[in-house]
Amino acid sequence: MGRHSGCYKQKLRKGLWSPDEDEKLLNHITHHGHGCWSSVPKHAGLQRCGKSCRLRWINYLRPDLKRGAFSQDEENLIVELHAVLGNRWSQIAAKLPGRTDNEIKNLWNSNIKKKLKQRGIDPNTHKPISEVDREKPTTSSNDHMSLSSSSATNQDFFHVRPSDFSDYFNSNLGLSVDSSLCSMFPVQFSTGNMVGSVFQTHSCVKPSISLPPDNSSSTDQAAPNWEFQTNNTSIRPNHNFEDLKWSEYVNTPISLPVFVKSEADYLANVSSLADPWSQSQNESLNTPEASDVFCKDLQPMAVSFGQSL
DNA sequence: AATATTCACAACCGCAAGTCA
DNA sequence: ATGACTTGCGGTTGTGAATAT
């Protein structure tokens, strides 16, 4: 490739950095800033290309790096972010202060991927592996948006990236939604072990998900005070925001997503959903876009989905 | 003890997008 | 408009340590 030619034309060092090189680079950037990376090696007295210096600084020498092992919370967040963002490591890293994209990518490839596979989850789609195998032959671009399929899972929606959400809104629902503001908040079917998910793409909010204690009876749970009834299914908002471990989360197969435009709308919707929804499935939620979307489009799909169980 | 394998981490490579003359 | 150059990203490879055989 053409641009990054310095490393090849000149006899520049490659491979691991020595402590001496680190010190030179650190001193230079501490006193002068990096400015144009291509001029850094010359000014710092290094036999490296600018690109290599940049990488070394970003991934290792930067003073704000956290280093050390990832916490369980960080791992969980990475999995959840990956489900929405895919391999957009830099965007994932932006949500984890002190962590680099390279570090997260390495963790994913060497550790998390394996853990997910051991739990029967396909790390690419975040779906159960058996399901991924079944679905391999056909996947049209909008298949993942359909809730009418009985094989829909939580990961169907995590699989959809924010940009896809906004495309879907813009083209199918006639709404103008900024992809960076698309979010989901949790909704729970009361007839099974199913949850939705909270996700905020524009700020680091740890998803909070709660589950019914088990698949069957959950009488002691502080249940939401409304539910949406169909012939054989009821849908409740879940506002019992207890943290959920990923290991538990991956075992919960179904979600109902609701989209909101902003953090403010999100909070408004959560509080509005705490109120009785309505007597009728046709009555709108009393909040803006999310309610409209949910009532006009997602609710009927959810009903269809619920009935197909 | 020697060798092979696995693992975690660091660094490299190729590409695309952006900037600037 | 064009090409040289920089920057940033994501996939891949290299390397040394730890572990298994």
Side-chain angles (χ1 to χ4, degrees):
Chain A
M1 65 142 301
R3 301 289 174 259
H4 180 227
S5 54
C7 296
Y8 311 104
K9 285 178 184 170
Q10 303 163 34
K11 287 181 180 173
L12 297 177
R13 270 180 57 85
K14 288 169 72 175
L16 297 178
W17 281 63
S18 68
D20 184 49
E21 287 178 307
D22 280 345
E23 193 184 340
K24 282 180 178 174
L25 182 60
L26 186 60
N27 279 338
H28 174 76
I29 294 180
T30 303
H31 291 111
H32 306 99
H34 60 72
C36 174
W37 282 111
S38 59
S39 63
V40 164
K42 184 179 152 193
H43 293 135
L46 291 162
Q47 298 295 107
R48 296 271 183 174
C49 63
K51 192 170 182 174
S52 180
C53 292
R54 175 185 163 273
L55 209 63
R56 186 63 179 171
W57 173 257
I58 288 172
N59 288 337
Y60 194 81
L61 295 175
R62 248 170 54 199
D64 58 329
L65 289 178
K66 192 182 275 183
R67 313 208 64 79
F70 282 77
S71 69
Q72 190 57 54
D73 278 352
E74 284 178 313
E75 278 194 31
N76 290 345
L77 183 55
I78 289 167
V79 172
E80 288 150 1
L81 287 166
H82 184 274
V84 177
L85 296 169
N87 293 357
R88 294 171 182 171
W89 305 116
S90 62
Q91 289 182 34
I92 294 173
K95 305 290 184 192
L96 289 132
R99 300 298 188 182
T100 70
D101 53 356
N102 206 36
E103 211 177 356
I104 293 168
K105 182 170 56 180
N106 283 334
L107 180 75
W108 180 267
N109 287 326
S110 66
N111 190 322
I112 296 177
K113 245 171 136 174
K114 201 191 314 169
K115 284 185 188 171
L116 291 179
K117 282 178 183 170
Q118 283 169 355
R119 294 169 190 173
I121 300 295
D122 181 81
N124 297 317
T125 63
H126 294 254
K127 292 180 181 180
I129 287 169
S130 56
E131 201 170 286
V132 172
D133 291 343
R134 222 184 308 140
E135 290 179 3
K136 260 178 189 168
T138 58
T139 42
S140 70
S141 60
N142 281 331
D143 280 352
H144 54 277
M145 292 307 301
S146 170
L147 266 174
S148 59
S149 159
S150 61
S151 64
T153 70
N154 284 343
Q155 289 72 34
D156 283 321
F157 291 91
F158 283 131
H159 188 208
V160 180
R161 298 174 182 191
S163 58
D164 300 327
F165 284 146
S166 59
D167 289 348
Y168 178 74
F169 273 67
N170 294 335
S171 61
N172 294 357
L173 306 181
L175 289 174
S176 177
V177 177
D178 181 340
S179 64
S180 67
L181 298 179
C182 284
S183 308
M184 296 193 286
F185 66 84
V187 175
Q188 173 183 317
F189 290 88
S190 64
T191 53
N193 189 19
M194 317 172 214
V195 296
S197 302
V198 178
F199 191 77
Q200 300 280 105
T201 60
H202 57 298
S203 62
C204 185
V205 176
K206 186 178 187 310
S208 299
I209 304 161
S210 54
L211 285 174
D214 61 34
N215 254 5
S216 50
S217 59
S218 56
T219 52
D220 57 342
Q221 191 192 19
N225 57 1
W226 66 265
E227 62 180 22
F228 172 68
Q229 294 284 350
T230 69
N231 289 343
N232 58 3
T233 305
S234 56
I235 303 169
R236 297 178 183 179
N238 176 355
H239 53 282
N240 303 317
F241 294 101
E242 296 169 10
D243 283 352
L244 178 69
K245 295 269 185 289
W246 171 251
S247 56
E248 298 164 316
Y249 159 66
V250 296
N251 292 321
T252 60
I254 296 166
S255 75
L256 175 63
V258 180
F259 304 90
V260 296
K261 276 191 72 175
S262 68
E263 210 158 332
D265 284 351
Y266 163 70
L267 294 171
N269 275 284
V270 169
S271 55
S272 76
L273 285 170
D275 298 321
W277 184 350
S278 67
Q279 304 87 333
S280 149
Q281 68 184 60
N282 296 321
E283 193 172 325
S284 296
L285 292 167
N286 60 353
T287 49
E289 287 78 11
S291 312
D292 291 340
V293 170
F294 185 76
C295 291
K296 288 177 190 165
D297 200 82
L298 295 172
Q299 183 189 93
M301 289 197 294
V303 172
S304 159
F305 176 44
Q307 287 174 336
S308 71
L309 290 171

